[in-house]
Amino acid sequence: MILACSTCFALEKQGSAPLEWEDAAAYHDGDPAAGVEPRFVVVDGATEAYDAIRWVEHLVASFVAHTGPAITHDALGVWFEQVQRLWAAEAPARFATVIERHKFLTEGSFATFLGCRLADLDGPGARWEAAALGDTVLFHIRDGRLLSHFPPIGVDEFGLSPAGVGTRPEALDPMLRDLELGAGEVRAGDVLFVATDALAQWLLVEAARDESSLWWALAALDHDAAFAAIVADQRAAGRLHNDDVTLLRVRLLTEAPGDLVMCL
Amino acid sequence: MYEQTFSRANPGCIVFLLDRSDSMKQPWQSSGGTLAEGAARAVNKILLDLCVKSAKEVGGRARHYFDVGVFGYGACPVAGGEGVEPALGGQPIVPIPQVFDSPLRVEAPRGGPDDETVDAVAGSRLPVWIEPVFGYRTPMCQAIAAAGEHVYGWAANHPDSFPPIVINITDGMVTDSPYDGADLTEWAARLTSIETRDGRALLFNIFLSPRLAPEVLFPTTAAGLPEPGPDLFGISSVLPSSMVANARGARVEIADGARGFVFNAGLATLVWFLEIGTRVADVRDR
């Protein structure tokens, strides 16, 4: 039986307050006894989106809930409609200005999306199944090497994709058109990372340079401060674009960790 | 270069030079109304877009992502006579939260709910900051000189920001070249020599025409343009690669080396040009 053990690291854009971090991530490591499979999700609210924090929190909470969608086109289409309806139902009763009302009606909110579930972890068909809209990326690592990344975006393609989960019903058709599905076989000892765009782009560049050191270092990360130091160093060196960054790590183990690590 | 995003730590600066000369009273064949009305609508639309981009929280004010300026040249409705006059409450450069809070009025979309150029929504009322005005000649050099002083000061105070973007909207011949010993090309060169650490100031030109003629959008050559199109093309900045990439990401075809210039645009194209020319990051197809 493979068990999932997830941890998330995040840091806001330099110049923003911590509460202005507009990514969001959530995970549920599953419950083998109850037949509940692990699910995890990372989303990246667009810089110009309206009330992005409410939208991204709404998306991640809904995705990892026990009622969250299966990783199929049809199920995700139904889920997109559900989350859009809930967003509209929770609209402010009154808007402070005509500009705010205009933004809510014409643009609304928007976020890139990478949602994943782990399936059949007790048998030979153990695998990840993921859905993506936009440039939040899943990396599958085995023995310190990158097996694959999903969606299979190139280093020069970040920031160019218009895909994401939007709040406007008119966005539904483009979302379903752009939705990408992927899967990969997993083994105990593998590590999955999910990163938002700026960090994902940096990971691809660094992996091409010295991937073994990179993945071992990230697999061993054990404190928010250590993550923040890496991000600060890379931003200062001009290698990491100044953006909100999020790294969700899922280690696949054969037994639950013996130690509980708390970051203080 | 040209990679900085707009943020409160490093806001952007977008300045419009708005021709308010007498010839702007001519009809805009492609979009109806006068050239002055069309130009004012386009500027109002982009000011609204900048306010909308800066409106983030429920019930909150706009975030200070931009400083904006509008300089009218030709008729001066406040001071009277001919000259150059700041058109946003008489102030040269205004933080976007102040623009957000102080439209002249709020009105229904002129084109009605089907008017795609204003993102109209049924029942939606939209703010207006700039009124159409026309009269006198076309002191374009003086406008660049006046705006340039403020742009220079802004760049000195924001060395890490995306460099200032200056967008000139005109229908014709400059009437004050040379001005103060320098011709239009020299004034444009002085303006675009202003820089931040992220690059030199950008000057884009919108050449309106009362005639029916094909639109020319983001050209790489001045061939085929009527006078004074070649001169305006010549002083227009090459679009930075970041803007080209964003435009291509939004499925707009733009050649490498294209300049920030448009001739004879209808209102929808004009708004589209302004969106491309003021967008530097985070393209999202919402």
Side-chain angles (χ1 to χ4, degrees), chain B residues 36-93:
Chain B
E37 288 172 336
R41 286 183 69 188
V43 173
N44 282 321
K45 169 67 170 69
I46 296 306
L47 291 175
L48 173 62
D49 280 356
L50 298 178
C51 286
V52 162
K53 286 179 181 176
S54 307
K56 299 271 294 179
E57 296 100 358
V58 175
R61 294 185 72 206
R63 289 188 182 179
H64 187 184
Y65 289 154
F66 306 96
D67 292 310
V68 296
V70 180
F71 292 83
Y73 58 96
C76 294
V78 176
E82 178 183 302
V84 179
E85 194 172 74
L88 276 177
Q91 297 182 55
I93 305 282

Side-chain angles (χ1 to χ4, degrees), chain B residues 48-263:
Chain B
L48 173 62
D49 280 356
L50 298 178
C51 286
V52 162
K53 286 179 181 176
S54 307
K56 299 271 294 179
E57 296 100 358
V58 175
R61 294 185 72 206
R63 289 188 182 179
H64 187 184
Y65 289 154
F66 306 96
D67 292 310
V68 296
V70 180
F71 292 83
Y73 58 96
C76 294
V78 176
E82 178 183 302
V84 179
E85 194 172 74
L88 276 177
Q91 297 182 55
I93 305 282
V94 184
I96 202 72
Q98 189 176 328
V99 176
F100 186 99
D101 290 340
S102 55
L104 293 175
R105 64 176 188 278
V106 177
E107 65 176 21
R110 195 170 302 185
D114 296 328
D115 187 344
E116 295 178 358
T117 62
V118 293
D119 289 340
V121 175
S124 185
R125 298 164 65 243
L126 300 173
V128 172
W129 291 273
I130 300 297
E131 301 282 14
V133 175
F134 50 80
Y136 300 94
R137 296 171 298 169
T138 312
M140 194 184 299
C141 291
Q142 188 185 348
I144 294 177
E149 276 187 41
H150 297 286
V151 168
Y152 179 83
W154 186 93
N157 290 326
H158 299 83
D160 293 319
S161 283
F162 191 93
I165 300 168
V166 181
I167 299 170
N168 179 37
I169 306 177
T170 180
D171 75 321
M173 300 286 189
V174 54
T175 57
D176 67 344
S177 181
Y179 170 77
D180 205 11
D183 65 8
L184 178 65
T185 302
E186 174 61 24
W187 280 111
R190 291 179 186 179
L191 180 71
T192 54
S193 69
I194 297 168
E195 59 187 356
T196 67
R197 294 191 185 102
D198 197 38
R200 296 167 71 125
L202 298 167
L203 174 60
F204 300 148
N205 281 281
I206 294 168
F207 179 19
L208 302 177
S209 170
R211 291 177 295 173
L212 279 174
E215 291 181 346
V216 178
L217 181 63
F218 300 123
T220 57
T221 169
L225 292 173
E227 293 296 334
D231 285 344
L232 292 173
F233 172 86
I235 64 171
S236 299
S237 301
V238 172
L239 285 175
S241 57
S242 52
M243 283 188 185
V244 172
N246 280 331
R248 288 175 178 162
R251 302 182 182 92
V252 178
E253 288 187 16
I254 294 184
D256 291 336
R259 298 208 184 193
F261 175 89
V262 61
F263 168 64

Side-chain angles (χ1 to χ4, degrees), chain A residues 20 22 46-51 92 96-103 105-107 110 112 160-162 168 177, chain B residues 5 8 48 51-53 55-56 58-59 100 118-119 121 123-127 245 249 251 281-282 284-286:
Chain A
E20 292 172 348
E22 291 175 333
T47 301
E48 297 161 4
Y50 175 75
D51 203 4
T97 65
V98 291
I99 295 171
E100 185 183 337
R101 179 174 185 272
H102 184 77
K103 180 149 190 170
L105 293 174
T106 61
E107 299 206 8
F110 184 89
T112 66
L160 300 180
S161 168
R168 298 171 61 215
R177 180 195 66 211
Chain B
T5 56
R8 283 167 296 182
L48 173 62
C51 286
V52 162
K53 286 179 181 176
K56 299 271 294 179
V58 175
F100 186 99
V118 293
D119 289 340
V121 175
S124 185
R125 298 164 65 243
L126 300 173
R251 302 182 182 92
D282 290 301
R284 297 292 184 228
D285 183 15
R286 282 158 285 185

Side-chain angles (χ1 to χ4, degrees), chain A residues 6 16 27-28 30 38 57 73 83 92 108 111 117 126 131 152 181 187 210 213 221 224 239-240 254-255 260-261:
Chain A
S6 303
S16 293
Y27 55 83
H28 188 304
E57 289 179 349
H73 232 85
V83 290
R117 73 187 274 258
L181 303 181
R187 300 178 194 166
D210 180 7
S213 300
L221 263 183
D224 287 339
R239 289 192 282 265
L240 178 61
T254 50
E255 58 182 38
L260 173 64
V261 177

